[in-house]
Each structure stands twice: as structure tokens, then as C-alpha cells.
Amino acid sequence: MLLISCPNCGPRDETEFHYGGQAHVAYPEDPYALNDREWAEYLFYRDNTKGAYAERWVHSTGCRQWFNMLRDTVSYEIQAIYPMGTPAPGTSAQETNAQAPEGASK
Amino acid sequence: MSQDHDHLHLPEHPDFLWRNPEPKSSYDAVIVGGGGHGLATAYFLAKNHGMTNIAVLEKGWLAGGNMARNTTIIRSNYLWDESAAIYEHALKLWEVLPEELEYDFLFSQRGVMNLAHTLGDVRESMRRVGANKLNGVDAEWLDPQQVKELCPILNVSDNIRYPVMGATYQPRAGIAKHDHVAWAFARKCDELGVDIIQNCEVTGFLKDGNRVVGVKTNRGTINTEKVGLAAAGHSSVLAEMAGFRLPIQSHPLQALVSELHEPVHPTVVMSNHVHVYVSQAHKGELVMGAGVDSYNGYGQRGSFHVIEEQMAAAVELFPIFARAHVLRTWGGIVDTTMDASPIVGTTPVENMFVNCGWGTGGFKGTPAAGLTFAHTIATGAPHKLNEPFSLERFETGALIDEHGAAAVAH
């Protein structure tokens, strides 16, 4: 059971929250401009980082507000909690919002 | 201190089932991942395609990942044609493998029941029974009384939150001893000349342009013409090393066993709605599993409230379990896809192939994963059974949505 510090309500049990997957995945600015590959990337491809991972959580049974969390996916240690719309701590806004190149190779 | 062993008459150490060779400098193909799927793939590469100069690389010990952590359920009652085809083929292989591998891994066709608790469940279940029959998969619909006859310890009364309204039943489904399955494949692989190399972690890939030509490991570099990834929860990590992405999210999946009990549970019972699945192992322990933890995780452990929920469901369905003690709980890392179906096929890297995304249901698929993945690696093209399970389906939209349709949530 994770103990998650909601920015509004303070530390609460994980069971009060719901997971929202990877953070900082923006809806495409112009969905009609995307080809099938790019659309697949937006819909189905998410980072699956082993280590520090920026993800979204919502305090469903409390304030019902969304927030971001930086959590280690191996130790499960919560490293930072920060508001939606702000870059992950230790990264610049550009880095945080940088999408992996659409398509295969990095 | 000197010891005289001669008079002790100690039993001979049992024969090892496979060698522990040093890695050679090159192989025709390298399989990354020495779990059930990797070993089955190597077996079929050697047996069906004559590729014996191959190696299976395992970063830990043989079959110590999800192959050691699953709840051993084998069934093929999936809704969609593509899934029914590959899982039914797997089930047919399970039926002949003990003889073929010359190893009795206690495959017990004791049937699997998938309970329905709502009118929606009932409709979905009946639909699935119909689809299964059309696909040649044995399936039948049981009313609550028939459920009770098959599994007398199940509570089918109206006095629970989600009464049992019936169940689908696949008589040919069952369980097997997972460790023994791995050992059976490993021994045959070894006999056929396959090198099984444990404690050998892949740290990178050698590429010539977009073609893979070798594998970097903690035990040196190995040149190879072909690479097959069969690393389940760690597939994304390997793909990233190779320079491509997979539509996979790794989650912890937990299971547990009770202490040993007299035989009380004659079949396998799964409930999607209250979410628990239960069987009784040959030794006597009750084996139970549930759903994944919601968050991404590589830690091989999950949160206790998931276990609490599954135990609550188990005790409501099986009141007799209320005083059973949990002996052990554990977690594995499962590789889930958005459509709850596996990916078996080619990758954006030439001569590199991937078998992943089996999520919470990989054990039952072991023989078919091995057969089709070996075919794909050997020929460079998919077998007809894994053709629909390509990586490209996420682009074309030809998804095989087995969420719920597969008889249990993933």
C-alpha cells in the first residue's frame, strides 16, 4: 500500500486514489495531421520506464483533484508530487513535454 | 578436520537436467529470457526448424520470473477467433507435451469454471460459450445447481453480495506444475544441443545499420544472426536498448497460497466480477490470484489491499476458506497491452523478433508462444496462428480486444 501525500488533503492510503498512467502526454495539437503510426503512438504507446517515472494520480475519494507524481517503478519510492501542467522536477518544460519521436527508432 | 565419506553411503546427487555451458562467441539465434516462453521457443526452434546452434540467455535463474509466479491455469475459452485459435492450439499441445517431452508435469484437466454474477455476465458468458463451440473449443453453460454439483464448496446461495448466477465450464482446461514444465522444456532443449545460459544479463545490442548482429551481456559479447525477445515484464527495457518502443505497460501481479489442506476443491474457479481465481494444487495448497496493481511497477511486489480484496472475494464464494491461513504471497511483473492480447512477431529492427504482451495469461499460452515464435524467428514470417498478434495491429486498428471477453479481467 502506497502512502500518497495529496497536495490538497495530505497523506492518505493508496486506496483513496486512482492511477492515471504516464504524465505529460499532450493531446495532439492537430489530430487530423497525424498519420496512423503517430495516432497509434498517441493512443497505445506509453513509456514503460524502469526507474523514475512521471505519472498522474487522482484523489478520487478526497478532493477529486488530479496531480502528478514522480515515482520509482522499482523501489516504488515517491520522489516528488507536483501540480498538473508543471514540468517534472529536475527537467525543463521542453524535456518534460518532449514526445519520443513518432515511429520506431529513438 | 578430515571426514571419511566412504562409510556414509549418501545417495547419489540427482542428475542435472541441463548443462550450464559458458556462452560461445556466436550462435545462429539467441533467445533473451529463460522462462517458459523462451525455453519453449528454443525447443521448437531445435525440433521443428533444426536450429540447434542457439542459446537461451537468462539474467537470473531458469524460470525464476513469471514462470515461477503464476497460478498455473490452462484454458482456451477466449471469445475472439484469433485468441481461441492460438490458445486452443496451446491446449492441444499441453495434451501431448508430457509424452513428447518425456516428463510428467502433472497436467490435470480438471476443468475451469468462469462464474457469472450479473445479468451482463450471464449474457457475455453465454455468448462466449456459443463462440467457443463454433471455434471447436469445449464449452458449456452451467446453472447454479450444476455449478454446485461440480464444486460443492462454492456458495451458490442468494445471501451474498453477488450471487452466482451460473458459469461457463471448459472441461479440458486445468492446471499443471509450472516449474516442472520449465524443467521439461529445459531438459529437452539441452538434449537437442541448445545452450541454456543462466546469470547472463543482456546489457545492449550490436547493430549493423538497422540489423541486429549481436548481443552484449555481462558475460561478454555474443554474435548472432537472430534475436528473439521473450522477457515478459522487461520487454520494454530490452526494446529501448534495441531502439524501438513497445505498447506495453509493466504491472505487478500478485498471487498467494494457503497452507496445505485435504483435497476440497476439485476444479478451477475464476470470477471476473468479484475478481479472484482459485484452484487447489496437487500438494494441497489453495492457489489464488487476482488482478494487477494499477500502477506501473518492476518491483515484483504489489500493494496489500489488492490481496485483501481477492481474499474477501474468495471467502464470500468459499466460506470454508475463512479459517485457512495464507502461507505466502508474491508478485510478478506482467507485460500488459491495451487490448489484453499478446504481441508475437517482427519488430522495427531487422532480425529481431518479439514475444511479449501476454500480460496476466502467459502460462497457458507457453506451448503456442514457443511454436509460433520459433516459426517466426526461423522463417522471418509469422505462423498463421500469430499473424493477427503483430505489433502493427496497433497502427492498423485490427485489435483483438480480450478485455473481459477473455472470461477474466486483465
Side-chain angles (χ1 to χ4, degrees):
Chain A
M1 175 88 74
L2 303 177
L3 183 63
I4 298 173
S5 286
C6 170
N8 304 307
C9 310
R12 301 291 179 88
D13 283 348
E14 179 196 334
T15 44
E16 294 193 10
F17 298 82
H18 278 99
Y19 188 58
Q22 186 182 359
H24 311 298
V25 180
Y27 187 77
E29 280 190 25
D30 180 6
Y32 295 98
L34 266 50
N35 62 28
D36 288 354
R37 174 74 219 175
E38 291 163 341
W39 190 241
E41 287 270 341
Y42 171 68
L43 281 182
F44 301 120
Y45 284 72
R46 293 292 180 271
D47 289 344
N48 191 20
T49 311
K50 186 178 182 181
Y53 189 54
E55 59 195 16
R56 302 175 303 173
W57 288 80
V58 60
H59 193 186
S60 316
T61 65
C63 60
R64 299 197 288 171
Q65 299 298 301
W66 285 90
F67 56 90
N68 289 329
M69 189 192 288
L70 196 63
R71 189 180 56 92
D72 188 299
T73 59
V74 180
S75 68
Y76 303 164
E77 184 199 356
I78 297 167
Q79 297 168 331
I81 287 176
Y82 57 101
M84 301 297 285
T86 60
T91 60
S92 70
Q94 284 90 345
E95 265 182 285
T96 302
N97 293 319
Q99 294 280 309
E102 309 300 348
S105 297
K106 277 204 239 188
Chain B
M1 192 171 76
S2 72
Q3 283 186 329
D4 179 13
H5 288 284
D6 289 342
H7 69 279
L8 292 175
H9 303 294
L10 290 172
E12 291 289 311
H13 195 286
D15 286 342
F16 286 98
L17 296 180
W18 57 87
R19 300 161 292 129
N20 277 303
E22 284 300 310
K24 293 196 278 190
S25 62
S26 93
Y27 289 97
D28 295 340
V30 165
I31 309 297
V32 184
H37 285 210
L39 292 167
T41 303
Y43 169 70
F44 286 111
L45 272 174
K47 180 193 160 230
N48 290 359
H49 304 280
M51 291 180 68
T52 53
N53 181 31
I54 62 175
V56 177
L57 309 184
E58 168 52 51
K59 76 171 172 179
W61 63 94
L62 184 129
N66 294 348
M67 192 62 176
R69 296 158 195 269
N70 64 81
T71 50
T72 81
I73 298 170
I74 295 167
R75 61 187 178 88
S76 65
N77 56 346
Y78 280 68
L79 177 69
W80 299 111
D81 295 351
E82 298 88 345
S83 316
I86 196 165
Y87 287 109
E88 176 61 18
H89 196 85
L91 181 49
K92 289 200 168 88
L93 287 170
W94 282 114
E95 288 171 333
V96 299
L97 275 172
E99 192 178 337
E100 182 176 323
L101 298 175
E102 299 172 285
Y103 200 120
D104 180 12
F105 49 69
L106 301 180
F107 177 42
S108 163
Q109 291 179 288
R110 57 182 66 187
V112 167
M113 224 186 258
N114 293 95
L115 303 180
H117 301 273
T118 66
L119 286 172
D121 276 359
V122 171
R123 280 191 289 266
E124 277 300 311
S125 301
M126 287 179 164
R127 177 193 180 198
R128 185 161 44 73
V129 166
N132 287 164
K133 284 180 174 169
L134 289 171
N135 277 319
V137 175
D138 57 321
E140 52 195 272
W141 170 256
L142 307 178
D143 64 29
Q145 199 46 46
Q146 292 169 307
V147 168
K148 185 80 179 170
E149 280 161 22
L150 260 169
C151 188
I153 58 170
L154 247 174
N155 180 7
V156 297
S157 70
D158 281 339
N159 66 0
I160 59 174
R161 176 65 186 84
Y162 294 106
V164 175
M165 298 177 74
T168 69
Y169 186 59
Q170 183 179 21
R172 286 165 58 243
I175 56 174
K177 288 286 279 181
H178 48 170
D179 293 333
H180 292 232
V181 173
W183 301 339
F185 275 118
R187 187 180 64 161
K188 273 290 169 200
C189 282
D190 187 78
E191 278 175 21
L192 289 163
V194 176
D195 281 359
I196 297 167
I197 302 162
Q198 302 177 81
N199 299 310
C200 184
E201 182 169 1
V202 170
T203 56
F205 296 100
L206 297 174
K207 282 161 75 173
D208 179 6
N210 189 40
R211 188 162 54 94
V212 68
V213 293
V215 180
K216 286 189 263 186
T217 79
N218 61 345
R219 294 173 65 176
T221 297
I222 299 169
N223 297 313
T224 183
E225 288 172 24
K226 295 177 173 195
V227 173
L229 307 179
H234 275 80
S235 298
S236 300
V237 176
L238 290 168
E240 191 177 352
M241 285 178 196
F244 67 98
R245 294 180 93 195
L246 286 169
I248 295 280
Q249 298 282 281
S250 295
H251 289 276
L253 175 63
Q254 302 182 77
L256 60 90
V257 289
S258 73
E259 356 158 71
L260 308 189
H261 293 284
E262 292 291 313
V264 290
H265 186 0
T267 180
V268 181
V269 171
M270 307 179 72
S271 168
N272 185 4
H273 195 77
V274 300
H275 220 159
V276 68
Y277 34 96
V278 188
S279 68
Q280 188 168 18
H282 296 83
K283 237 174 7 179
E285 63 267 51
L286 300 163
V287 184
M288 302 186 208
V292 297
D293 282 66
S294 65
Y295 49 76
N296 287 25
Y298 284 88
Q300 290 189 322
R301 65 191 187 286
S303 293
F304 193 72
H305 68 87
V306 175
I307 286 174
E308 198 178 351
E309 283 164 24
Q310 102 188 39
M311 294 300 279
V315 170
E316 184 152 86
L317 289 174
F318 301 94
I320 184 179
F321 292 175
R323 294 184 182 203
H325 293 160
V326 171
L327 188 66
R328 281 184 299 126
T329 77
W330 64 90
I333 311 167
V334 297
D335 40 338
T336 62
T337 58
M338 289 280 198
D339 65 352
S341 285
I343 300 165
V344 188
T346 56
T347 74
V349 176
E350 212 179 314
N351 288 357
M352 181 174 282
F353 306 89
V354 71
N355 168 72
C356 67
W358 290 85
T360 62
F363 177 70
K364 72 173 84 69
T366 301
L371 180 91
T372 59
F373 196 38
H375 179 97
T376 307
I377 293 169
T379 65
H383 186 280
K384 67 174 171 25
L385 287 171
N386 66 314
E387 199 166 17
F389 296 96
S390 70
L391 193 50
E392 289 76 30
R393 74 174 185 272
F394 296 95
E395 220 171 295
T396 62
L399 302 176
I400 303 157
D401 183 8
E402 287 290 359
H403 279 287
V408 68
H410 290 260

